Amino acid sequence: MITLLRKYTDFNNLQADDCELPVPQGDTSSARLATGRSALWHLISRLPDAEKTTVLMPCYVAEGVLKPFLQANVEVQFYKLTEQLTPDVSDVGKILSQHNGPTLFVLIHYFGYSGWTPSLRSILSGENAYILEDFAHAPFVKDDDGRYLAEQADLALYSFNKIIPVGDGALLVSCYDDIDVSLTETDYPPLPTQALNAFEKHLKACRDLYESKSMTEAKIHLQHLSDWYEAYYHFINTQIDVHVQSDQSRQIESIFPYGALIEQRLANSKMVHENLQSRFVTLLHTEFSEKNVPFGLPARVKNIERQKFLDFMFQEGILLSTLEDKWDFRPENEQSRYSFEKDFIADHVLIPVSEFISKEKMKYMINIMNSFEA
Ligand SMILES: Cc1ncc(COP(=O)(O)O)c(C=O)c1O
């Protein structure tokens, strides 16, 4: 089964190459936590004036990004997104003009693509706002000049299990003088062993799914991977206070061959851009660019019910992902304000381009997508 899900990997076979994880440069403080949500909980405790701060974020956001702010009673306001999943600058401007206290602006680089636009830079540069860039999907995204965005960020968040096969691990880096995120890691526990074991079982079920040869087999593994993920998720979502990264995840993070990951993901996405020809599936980002190392290629399914397309692909041995479970927080009384978000959540799919998918498998997948007829 072709899927973007990270799968259990024999760590003895991993060998670092010459590519390192890009991180903010300069005078920084940093902390290695177990999860992104734990890192945000920690960040809130280090904000100079958290109780007076307003956090701006899109409503199409992971529960793990929103929850720490709500739990800490920090005010959250949602801004709209454009069809490219970048912040809607006129909406951001309106929200910013309505309050004058401290602001934390959360910028998510969705699926490996930059959330920056020139107008966003310009509006935020006139504001006294902290900018938190979420690189969980996009640690390797570059700007138009080919420089890593992460190296230029002032406040950066990473959550490693979105990209590499680890059970935990999040990095928080701050260049702001008045936000010192450093901590003494030995003062805090890692996640409970049960949580890490559950994630390892999830990764093993993902590997079994990837290797499965029949639909019946695939369905069983799919159920297992989902059950183990829920078991893990229960821990991380009920224990968002400070937990530090486990030693195993730290070790894998340090030896993972990121250069090979980048190369294969770029080659795979280029192949999709060059060969996808479908009346039903359109890529969100129409141009291929080496600036973006995708988590999965976001595309939208039009003129047909999405489930019908997902079912067809699954029958052919391809699992397309969607990101809606534990995402999407459109305030009930403002549903109509977020019409793009609503449509995107209903019609998007993520096309797998992960490093473990061979050229032949990519070709097969693209041919199957092209052959789909309603
Ligand atoms: C883009 C993004 N940022 C942050 C998080 C939160 O990270 P964690 O799950 O490690 O708490 C997630 C989780 O899904 C995410 O997808």
Side-chain angles (χ1 to χ4, degrees):
M1 174 80 42
I2 300 175
T3 150
L4 64 66
L5 298 169
R6 301 112 10 293
K7 59 188 173 71
Y8 185 80
T9 308
D10 183 354
F11 305 118
N12 295 318
N13 295 339
L14 290 177
Q15 202 179 0
D17 50 30
D18 57 2
C19 179
E20 286 180 10
L21 191 77
V23 290
Q25 304 289 293
D27 233 357
T28 61
S29 61
S30 65
R32 292 187 163 277
L33 288 309
T35 62
R37 59 205 77 197
S38 182
L40 292 174
W41 182 255
H42 172 59
L43 170 65
I44 295 164
S45 73
R46 300 298 172 91
L47 286 179
D49 240 340
E51 64 291 346
K52 293 202 194 116
T53 300
T54 303
V55 179
L56 266 63
M57 67 172 71
C59 68
Y60 183 52
V61 62
E63 177 175 44
V65 175
L66 177 56
K67 184 167 176 160
F69 294 103
L70 296 184
Q71 198 157 313
N73 288 320
V74 178
E75 187 195 348
V76 176
Q77 291 203 5
F78 295 107
Y79 60 79
K80 294 203 294 186
L81 292 168
T82 69
E83 301 226 343
Q84 299 297 299
L85 293 174
T86 59
D88 177 325
V89 174
S90 69
D91 197 48
V92 170
K94 245 185 256 163
I95 297 173
L96 287 173
S97 69
Q98 284 161 8
H99 79 97
N100 49 19
T103 305
L104 175 71
F105 185 88
V106 179
L107 178 60
I108 299 176
H109 300 298
Y110 294 94
F111 310 128
Y113 296 79
S114 172
W116 282 114
T117 53
S119 53
L120 181 67
R121 279 205 191 275
S122 134
I123 197 167
L124 289 178
S125 70
E127 289 289 324
N128 201 6
Y130 299 114
I131 301 167
L132 170 66
E133 296 189 50
D134 183 339
F135 291 103
H137 291 170
F140 305 106
V141 62
K142 292 179 172 169
D143 67 10
D144 290 340
D145 299 323
R147 296 176 306 163
Y148 285 120
L149 286 181
E151 292 187 347
Q152 301 162 60
D154 288 324
L155 188 55
L157 173 71
Y158 307 70
S159 169
F160 297 126
N161 67 10
K162 313 297 175 286
I163 294 283
I164 60 175
V166 288
D168 71 326
L171 176 63
L172 181 66
V173 186
S174 168
C175 300
Y176 290 114
D177 291 342
D178 54 349
I179 306 181
D180 178 357
V181 297
S182 57
L183 48 67
T184 307
E185 289 173 20
T186 46
D187 288 351
Y188 299 92
L191 286 176
T193 313
Q194 283 160 292
L196 296 169
N197 286 347
F199 201 86
E200 185 167 304
K201 293 213 168 95
H202 163 76
L203 287 176
K204 285 187 169 153
C206 290
R207 181 195 54 194
D208 294 342
L209 175 74
Y210 184 76
E211 289 170 1
S212 58
K213 298 275 180 286
S214 74
M215 268 330 96
T216 323
E217 222 190 295
K219 280 184 184 154
I220 293 169
H221 299 314
L222 206 48
Q223 187 61 48
H224 285 167
L225 74 86
S226 157
D227 291 347
W228 284 118
Y229 186 78
E230 291 302 328
Y232 156 82
Y233 194 81
H234 174 75
F235 282 103
I236 67 156
N237 208 38
T238 49
Q239 303 190 13
I240 69 167
D241 54 329
V242 177
H243 288 76
V244 290
Q245 184 176 18
S246 68
D247 291 339
Q248 199 200 25
S249 147
R250 218 174 276 244
Q251 195 196 350
I252 296 160
E253 185 205 322
S254 69
I255 57 167
F256 201 85
Y258 298 107
L261 173 151
I262 294 172
E263 197 180 326
Q264 189 69 37
R265 287 191 186 209
L266 287 178
N268 287 349
S269 34
K270 189 162 189 227
M271 201 187 291
V272 176
H273 276 273
E274 287 174 352
N275 298 293
L276 181 66
Q277 286 172 341
S278 166
R279 283 192 294 130
F280 302 98
V281 189
T282 40
L283 294 172
L284 190 79
H285 304 282
T286 48
E287 299 292 317
F288 168 76
S289 163
E290 297 208 341
K291 291 182 305 187
N292 312 306
V293 179
F295 167 82
L297 284 186
R300 301 185 70 179
V301 180
K302 293 288 165 71
N303 309 323
I304 182 83
E305 212 188 307
R306 176 175 63 179
Q307 195 55 47
K308 193 168 173 194
F309 180 63
L310 292 175
D311 291 345
F312 167 80
M313 295 298 284
F314 190 77
Q315 289 304 322
E316 301 295 334
I318 299 149
L319 177 68
L320 298 177
S321 297
T322 63
L323 216 48
E324 50 187 329
D325 180 28
K326 305 181 176 74
W327 276 66
D328 171 26
F329 296 92
R330 275 168 297 151
E332 274 303 322
N333 55 348
E334 286 186 280
Q335 299 280 321
S336 59
R337 179 171 140 74
Y338 300 103
S339 58
F340 159 69
E341 289 83 346
K342 173 173 166 277
D343 292 347
F344 180 81
I345 289 158
D347 68 16
H348 79 278
V349 293
L350 295 174
I351 300 173
V353 292
S354 304
E355 58 283 4
F356 44 80
I357 307 173
S358 65
K359 193 172 163 186
E360 288 64 38
K361 285 194 167 148
M362 287 301 300
K363 251 190 218 161
Y364 166 76
M365 176 175 67
I366 297 166
N367 284 340
I368 296 289
M369 280 196 282
N370 289 346
S371 74
F372 176 77
E373 282 300 333

